[in-house]
């Protein structure tokens, strides 16, 4: 959820200032795409914007069109990034957008032509033709949901709550529905299938009742669809594209597990910790810095950290609480501090997701030996030792605290995302980084109804 913190902050400011905004969310990708499903961008009517849904290729076009696209409500647009641009005889790029049956455009072809040639009211001038065609050579398709801030607020509040409670929530967002709702025989159900509506699937699983973010009542048709969605199990990805076939009704959804921030606990408050805090915050991680030396653990030294505290070496309960489900970096440059922290953490390897120790290999092995001879059963440390990365970080080259921080963040990211790479000097055996596909998984659920 990169850049989410900036989006949440700007959304609050916009509401306080009475400024409208549009939230653009990637809900599906096909082929090559820079951002995955779930990436967001917030565009305010006064020109401010935060977030990215591509590598910078789609953003200029989207900023121009966001408010025009949402004039009649939320909708999904599909953007091509292939290299199939057509050119006129004079060599100029033609103002045409390749469309398929799955593309959604909420105006007529004449509206599109007029907008392209007017350069007004959200339209594009001749210089924007290449941008509109997006002939980038990436050969992908990006499906983007556009919605006004009023509609998006329940989602943003849910994300804020996930970050506050550290508890993930599974949400399904409606991307498309077939044309059944336009049939007169069941037109009364059309209000229940609005593009962009979201269902809290965890709440349905626990309570058995259907409710959405911002809505409370649904037809039996939607209730049956939600029941099918609730039975769907996400893979290791946090966002997947799912199609539900329920009688005459076919709906397409983005099923998304909203995860809390990744958490980094840094044990040690030396100067070399400062760039590590900065790099972690650039990725929107929650960062806590602790040290037993109060003169080092100060807010003035680490203004970007979410929490800075002086923690005594014998407070094992607080250490375990802070390290729970987090990445832990031991880098105090103090044998006594590292020994005390490491003695506690090695005994609880299931408590954290990553553990790294700063310093040369012989120093860490000395600490492990000293800890082992002071406990009755040294074998209880084996799982923790196997999980320990020492020396901490990947050897990427370079010198100084910034290079060290880069190597540490690279290793933590790889471990947290199960993408370990072979690096000389690392204690643990690691495997090759597997290629990460940017495609959103496509799955179809057949209903028994």
């Amino acid at each position: 959820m990169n850049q989410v913190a900036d989006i949440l902050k700007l959304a609050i400011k916009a509401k306080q200032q009475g400024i409208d905004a549009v939230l653009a969310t990637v809900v599906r990708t096909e082929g090559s795409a820079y951002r995955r499903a779930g990436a967001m961008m917030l565009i305010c009517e006064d020109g401010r914007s935060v977030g990215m849904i591509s590598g910078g290729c789609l953003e200029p076009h989207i900023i121009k069109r966001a408010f025009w696209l949402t004039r009649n409500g939320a909708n999904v647009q599909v953007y091509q990034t292939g290299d199939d641009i057509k050119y006129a005889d004079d060599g100029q790029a033609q103002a045409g957008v390749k469309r398929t049956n799955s593309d959604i455009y909420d105006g007529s072809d004449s509206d599109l032509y007029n907008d392209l040639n007017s350069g007004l009211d959200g339209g594009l001038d001749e210089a924007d033709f290449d941008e509109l065609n997006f002939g980038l050579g990436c050969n992908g398709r990006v499906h983007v949901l556009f919605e006004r801030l009023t509609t998006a607020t329940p989602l943003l509040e849910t994300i804020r709550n996930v970050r506050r409670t550290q508890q993930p929530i599974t949400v399904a967002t409606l991307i498309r529905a077939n044309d059944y709702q336009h049939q007169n025989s069941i037109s009364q159900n059309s209000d229940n299938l609005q593009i962009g509506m979201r269902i809290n699937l965890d709440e349905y699983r626990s309570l058995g009742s259907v409710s959405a973010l911002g809505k409370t009542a649904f037809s039996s048709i939607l209730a049956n669809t939600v029941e099918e969605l609730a039975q769907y199990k996400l893979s290791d990805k946090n966002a997947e594209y799912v199609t539900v076939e329920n009688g005459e009704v076919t709906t397409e959804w983005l099923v998304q597990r909203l995860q809390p921030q990744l958490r980094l606990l840094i044990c040690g408050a030396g100067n070399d910790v400062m760039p590590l805090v900065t790099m972690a915050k650039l990725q929107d991680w929650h960062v806590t810095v602790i040290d037993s030396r109060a003169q080092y653990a100060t807010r003035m030294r680490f203004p970007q950290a979410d929490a800075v505290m002086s923690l005594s070496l014998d407070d094992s309960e607080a250490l375990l609480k802070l390290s729970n489900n987090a990445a832990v970096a031991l880098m105090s440059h103090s044998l006594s501090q590292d020994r005390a922290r490491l003695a506690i953490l090695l005994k609880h390897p299931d408590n954290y997701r990553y553990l790294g120790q700063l310093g040369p290999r012989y120093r860490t092995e000395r600490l492990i030996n000293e800890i082992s001879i002071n406990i009755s059963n040294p074998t209880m440390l084996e799982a923790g030792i196997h999980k320990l990365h020492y020396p901490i970080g990947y050897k990427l080259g370079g010198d100084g605290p910034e290079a060290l921080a880069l190597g540490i963040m690279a290793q933590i990211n790889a471990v947290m995302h199960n993408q370990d790479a072979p690096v000389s000097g690392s204690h643990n055996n690691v495997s090759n980084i597997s290629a990460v596909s940017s495609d959103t998984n496509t799955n179809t659920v057949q209903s028994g109804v």
Side-chain angles (χ1 to χ4, degrees):
M1 294 166 60
N2 294 350
Q3 303 174 325
V4 173
D6 292 335
I7 290 174
L8 295 176
K9 290 178 182 177
L10 183 57
I12 292 176
K13 290 181 179 179
K15 291 188 66 175
Q16 292 173 342
Q17 298 167 356
I19 296 173
D20 200 2
V22 172
L23 182 69
T25 305
V26 176
V27 292
R28 183 186 177 191
T29 62
E30 301 172 84
S32 177
Y34 186 82
R35 299 299 305 276
R36 297 179 179 179
M40 299 186 298
M41 179 180 184
L42 187 68
I43 305 111
C44 292
E45 60 183 348
D46 63 359
R48 290 176 294 174
S49 66
V50 293
M52 294 179 65
I53 61 170
S54 75
C57 313
L58 304 181
E59 283 76 5
H61 168 70
I62 286 172
I63 290 173
K64 293 179 181 180
R65 304 275 288 176
F67 283 89
W68 189 87
L69 290 171
T70 54
R71 69 198 186 283
N72 295 323
N75 66 91
V76 175
Q77 301 287 318
V78 182
Y79 297 94
Q80 307 263 0
T81 59
D83 53 3
D84 53 352
I85 301 177
K86 295 181 179 179
Y87 292 86
D89 293 337
D90 60 0
Q92 296 297 318
Q94 294 181 345
V97 179
K98 180 179 178 181
R99 297 169 61 199
T100 68
N101 292 333
S102 62
D103 291 343
I104 290 180
Y105 178 72
D106 56 359
S108 65
D109 290 335
S110 60
D111 289 336
L112 177 59
Y113 178 82
N114 292 333
D115 286 329
L116 288 172
N117 289 279
S118 67
L120 301 173
D121 298 327
L124 302 177
D125 55 29
E126 184 176 348
D128 292 310
F129 288 168
D130 282 339
E131 180 180 88
L132 182 61
N133 282 273
F134 303 113
L136 307 173
C138 301
N139 296 321
R141 289 162 62 86
V142 182
H143 302 238
V144 182
L145 168 65
F146 293 87
E147 55 190 324
R148 291 292 175 96
L149 183 57
T150 301
T151 305
T153 294
L155 170 66
L156 298 179
E157 290 178 347
T158 300
I159 293 174
R160 192 175 292 109
N161 187 57
V162 167
R163 294 160 74 91
R164 179 181 60 82
T165 63
Q166 291 291 303
Q167 297 299 319
I169 293 178
T170 305
V171 173
T173 303
L174 180 62
I175 301 174
R176 291 188 184 87
N178 64 356
D179 291 335
Y180 93 97
Q181 61 191 44
H182 300 298
Q183 301 173 10
N184 294 331
S185 60
I186 48 177
S187 61
Q188 66 272 17
N189 292 319
S190 61
D191 290 339
N192 296 315
L193 286 177
Q194 297 295 323
I195 300 302
M197 66 175 299
R198 295 178 173 90
I199 309 293
N200 186 334
L201 295 180
D202 290 337
E203 185 176 87
Y204 177 82
R205 291 165 182 159
S206 60
L207 302 179
S209 59
V210 181
S211 66
L213 309 184
K215 288 190 176 183
T216 56
F218 301 98
S219 68
S220 59
I221 293 178
L222 184 58
N224 292 335
T225 298
V226 174
E227 184 175 355
E228 297 297 330
L229 285 171
Q231 295 176 5
Y232 182 78
K233 302 296 184 183
L234 281 169
S235 64
D236 56 347
K237 290 186 177 181
N238 287 320
E240 295 181 13
Y241 166 74
V242 179
T243 299
V244 179
E245 297 177 359
N246 189 345
E248 296 181 355
V249 183
T250 300
T251 51
E252 300 174 37
W253 303 80
L254 169 66
V255 178
Q256 187 178 10
R257 186 184 295 110
L258 301 178
Q259 295 281 13
Q261 291 171 281
L262 293 177
R263 296 173 56 247
L264 172 63
L265 172 64
I266 306 175
C267 301
N271 291 345
D272 55 353
V273 169
M274 295 175 182
L276 181 59
V277 172
T278 299
M279 290 186 184
K281 292 307 298 178
L282 283 173
Q283 297 186 74
D284 193 29
W285 286 31
H286 183 283
V287 180
T288 300
V289 178
I290 65 173
D291 201 300
S292 64
R293 300 162 293 190
Q295 69 271 25
Y296 286 97
T298 65
R299 171 59 64 182
M300 184 177 295
R301 284 171 54 78
F302 301 97
Q304 291 181 296
D306 296 276
V308 183
M309 62 183 69
S310 176
L311 188 69
S312 64
L313 298 181
D314 58 356
D315 195 344
S316 59
E317 182 178 352
L319 178 63
L320 291 175
K321 183 177 180 180
L322 292 171
S323 63
N324 184 42
N325 202 37
V328 184
L330 299 174
M331 44 193 308
S332 70
H333 297 279
S334 165
L335 281 172
S336 59
Q337 282 209 63
D338 288 349
R339 185 188 303 109
R341 308 292 192 205
L342 195 59
I344 297 170
L345 294 170
L346 289 179
K347 296 176 184 176
H348 300 86
D350 296 331
N351 188 64
Y352 44 84
R353 299 175 62 183
Y354 168 94
L355 178 62
Q357 173 67 64
L358 179 69
R361 181 179 300 277
Y362 69 83
R363 180 182 185 274
T364 302
E365 291 176 346
R366 169 188 170 182
L367 291 172
I368 293 173
N369 289 333
E370 291 174 352
I371 295 170
S372 299
I373 63 177
N374 287 312
I375 60 175
S376 58
N377 183 16
T379 60
M380 66 185 302
L381 303 177
E382 289 180 358
I385 294 172
H386 180 74
K387 197 170 184 176
L388 177 64
H389 294 263
Y390 64 93
I392 192 172
Y394 289 154
K395 294 182 178 179
L396 302 178
D399 187 30
E402 292 77 14
L404 172 64
L406 181 61
I408 293 174
M409 286 306 303
Q411 186 178 65
I412 294 177
N413 267 292
V415 172
M416 299 282 267
H417 295 96
N418 299 314
Q419 298 288 315
D420 288 346
V423 177
S424 61
S426 177
H427 167 70
N428 288 345
N429 292 326
V430 290
S431 58
N432 290 328
I433 293 180
S434 58
V436 179
S437 171
S438 60
D439 296 358
T440 307
N441 286 359
T442 302
N443 303 276
T444 300
V445 179
Q446 295 284 350
S447 174
V449 178

